[in-house]
Amino acid sequence: MDGMSAPHRNRSLWTITCLLLLAVLFIGGCSPRQGATGNPSPSAGEGNDGSGSTGSETNPQGQASPAAPGKPETPVTPEPPADPAAELLAQLSTEEKIGQLVLVGMEGTKPNDVTRSLIEEYHVGGFIFYKDNIQNAKQALELFNGLKTANANEPVPLFLSVDEEGGRVSRMPGELAKLPNARKIGNTGSEELAGQIGGIIGRELAGFGLNLDFAPVLDVNSNPDNPVIGDRAFGTKPEIVSRMGIAVMKGIREQGVIPVVKHFPGHGDTSVDSHLGLPVVEHDLTRLRKLELVPFKQAIQEGADVVMIAHLLMPKLDPEHPASFSKAVIDNLLRQELGFEGTIISDDMTMGAIVEHYDIADAAVQFVQAGGNIVLVGHDDEKEKQVIQALRDAVRSGKISAETLDERVYNVLKLKEKYALTKDAAPGPDTEQINREIGNTLKPYGL
């Protein structure tokens, strides 16, 4: 005998058995559920592992613990997208801002003291080149790259621009084969050809580092006596001008070169060359909407980035101001009615239509006040400086408010940002390859 009665032994065994069962139940309740592969149960306090720590907190090693299966991660609020144009605008001085509103011509075939002054002292936004600036491909490339070098310390890359339409309006050096004029392209009726021509123009210009082309012409050549448009137009009907002009515009744009549609609101029915005098167009809005405005409206709907304003007096719209500095044309018609939000550039303010009838400095100020962004001053460095000084005076006096200045310049900076203008030297075009492409493109059309 062990000295313990049977009833006492039975109670002891019962107690031990109960304790063992409780221990088993306790251990089983704290172990992971079947299939949980060692992770805490999702029902346990939304991923709480029992220590008060959730899956979004760090583990003892300082690393982020993985979120529990099925539990959405806490959304991260994205940073608002940066606006490089706005950031750049905020860094510019008033003089640097004003310079972005002016695109100038230059004399000679290489950078000189005057061009360097226009860059360093007047901070011009860019240059336009004419045939007398370009002798051959090697010299042209050195000129364009030399201007980029001169602009290296300026905060904004330069527009480097030409009128390259093909036909009689071409600035390309003689090493490159000639392209047909717009009338010949329009006569084919082929949008595919027009797009290919635009692409070739874009590749030629991009190879030289040129980034802005004053083309295509969207004027409807409705007046056979027109002395300035003629075969530069794709046709005499707005439909063909729209189709072919927009195809060329897209072809240029696809090569990273900015196309400029011109000459708004339509230079096709004039009998005076605006290079020499001021044409007067008597059409009212009803007529313009049916004919002259059609190609421009469609180009804007297709994403035109830049519109050039013609030097035309249109008494039915504005009896006092030419279109090139008329609020009725620039703001009311182009901005408001046609909904154009891009960049507006004037035709050359040194043309006879302006300098023979108006003060060029005052015209430039009124252009900006009316809603324009870039004043083109293609000749005469004294006139170029005169325009820039007039804009500076207008800003200083409040004729052009600080808000208006910023709005106009921001538009220009956005355009330069969109096309990723650079200060890097260009390699030059592959003239042999381009000439082969021109031949292969034109041959099927007998051009």
Side-chain angles (χ1 to χ4, degrees):
M1 299 288 296
D2 56 9
M4 183 180 292
S5 66
H8 286 127
R9 282 197 302 270
N10 289 340
R11 282 197 297 270
S12 298
L13 289 171
W14 174 250
T15 300
I16 293 170
T17 301
C18 288
L19 290 173
L20 288 171
L21 286 171
L22 287 171
V24 170
L25 288 173
F26 177 78
I27 294 171
C30 292
S31 66
R33 290 186 179 184
Q34 186 176 3
T37 61
N39 291 325
S41 167
S43 65
E46 286 297 314
N48 195 318
D49 63 6
S51 65
S53 173
T54 63
S56 63
E57 296 180 356
T58 56
N59 60 26
Q61 284 71 39
Q63 297 175 337
S65 301
K71 178 186 176 183
E73 296 183 2
T74 303
V76 177
T77 304
E79 292 290 329
D83 187 342
E87 293 174 358
L88 179 56
L89 178 67
Q91 298 169 13
L92 299 182
S93 68
T94 299
E95 288 75 17
E96 288 169 339
K97 291 177 184 178
I98 291 169
Q100 291 302 306
L101 301 182
V102 183
L103 195 152
V104 299
M106 59 166 286
E107 299 296 326
T109 56
K110 59 184 179 180
N112 55 33
D113 290 342
V114 174
T115 54
R116 280 186 281 272
S117 171
L118 288 167
I119 291 171
E120 296 170 3
E121 296 178 39
Y122 292 91
H123 313 289
V124 294
F127 288 85
I128 182 171
F129 306 101
Y130 297 97
K131 200 65 178 176
D132 58 1
N133 298 125
I134 297 172
Q135 295 174 322
N136 54 59
K138 180 176 183 295
Q139 169 271 327
L141 184 63
E142 290 175 352
L143 169 61
F144 306 145
N145 284 339
L147 289 170
K148 288 184 176 183
T149 299
N151 190 65
N153 293 326
E154 294 297 309
V156 188
L158 293 167
F159 285 127
L160 298 176
S161 66
V162 289
D163 293 280
E164 187 57 38
E165 303 171 11
R168 59 189 164 103
V169 180
S170 173
R171 314 302 185 208
M172 289 294 95
E175 292 95 327
L176 286 161
K178 300 302 181 185
L179 291 168
N181 61 44
R183 177 185 291 168
K184 291 181 178 179
I185 298 170
N187 286 344
T188 70
S190 172
E191 290 180 50
E192 180 181 6
L193 173 63
Q196 291 173 330
I197 294 293
I200 290 170
I201 291 173
R203 281 189 287 283
E204 289 180 353
L205 271 57
F208 281 111
L210 297 167
N211 48 42
L212 185 72
D213 186 17
F214 295 108
V217 170
L218 294 188
D219 302 312
V220 181
N221 193 42
S222 58
N223 182 348
D225 296 325
N226 192 315
V228 66
I229 300 301
D231 61 10
R232 297 169 65 193
F234 291 100
T236 60
K237 303 294 183 184
E239 295 77 15
I240 189 69
V241 172
S242 297
R243 290 197 300 109
M244 307 302 278
I246 290 170
V248 171
M249 178 186 80
K250 290 181 177 179
I252 295 171
R253 184 170 65 193
E254 287 167 2
Q255 302 305 315
V257 175
I258 307 167
V260 179
V261 298
K262 62 184 184 183
H263 307 82
F264 186 87
H267 211 309
D269 189 11
T270 59
S271 56
V272 174
D273 184 345
S274 54
H275 293 86
L276 306 174
L278 179 63
V280 178
V281 178
E282 295 288 351
H283 302 318
D284 61 13
L285 275 172
T286 300
R287 152 66 189 245
L288 292 172
R289 289 171 182 142
K290 289 180 179 178
L291 198 143
E292 281 84 0
L293 294 179
V294 172
F296 292 100
K297 182 177 181 180
Q298 293 189 18
I300 290 168
Q301 291 172 346
E302 293 290 338
D305 287 295
V306 188
V307 173
M308 173 180 275
I309 307 292
H311 300 312
L312 307 171
L313 186 65
M314 310 187 80
K316 298 289 198 308
L317 276 64
D318 187 338
E320 297 182 6
H321 308 93
S324 46
F325 52 94
S326 166
K327 188 175 188 296
V329 173
I330 294 175
D331 187 61
N332 297 354
L333 182 56
L334 181 53
R335 290 287 192 206
Q336 303 301 323
E337 180 171 330
L338 298 188
F340 182 62
E341 298 180 352
T343 303
I344 297 174
I345 187 167
S346 76
D347 207 341
D348 181 7
M349 287 286 188
T350 66
M351 290 164 59
I354 299 301
V355 296
E356 296 297 327
H357 301 275
Y358 305 95
D359 178 77
I360 188 173
D362 188 50
V365 171
Q366 290 191 61
F367 166 77
V368 174
Q369 290 174 321
N373 301 100
I374 301 174
V375 184
L376 175 58
V377 193
H379 304 277
D380 192 335
D381 58 274
E382 289 304 317
K383 286 185 172 62
E384 293 163 355
K385 294 174 182 178
Q386 182 183 352
V387 164
I388 295 171
Q389 187 59 52
L391 293 172
R392 289 180 174 181
D393 292 343
V395 170
R396 189 177 298 112
S397 69
K399 289 177 68 175
I400 296 175
S401 69
E403 181 181 9
T404 295
L405 175 64
D406 282 354
E407 181 181 287
R408 303 291 188 268
V409 176
Y410 176 75
N411 181 296
V412 174
L413 298 179
K414 287 292 286 185
L415 179 65
K416 291 187 173 185
E417 176 203 343
K418 177 178 179 178
Y419 282 84
L421 267 60
T422 176
K423 301 176 185 178
D424 298 337
D430 186 336
T431 55
E432 292 184 4
Q433 181 180 347
I434 289 175
N435 287 341
R436 283 195 300 270
E437 184 180 356
I438 291 172
N440 293 335
T441 300
L442 299 180
K443 186 175 181 180
Y445 299 92
L447 298 175

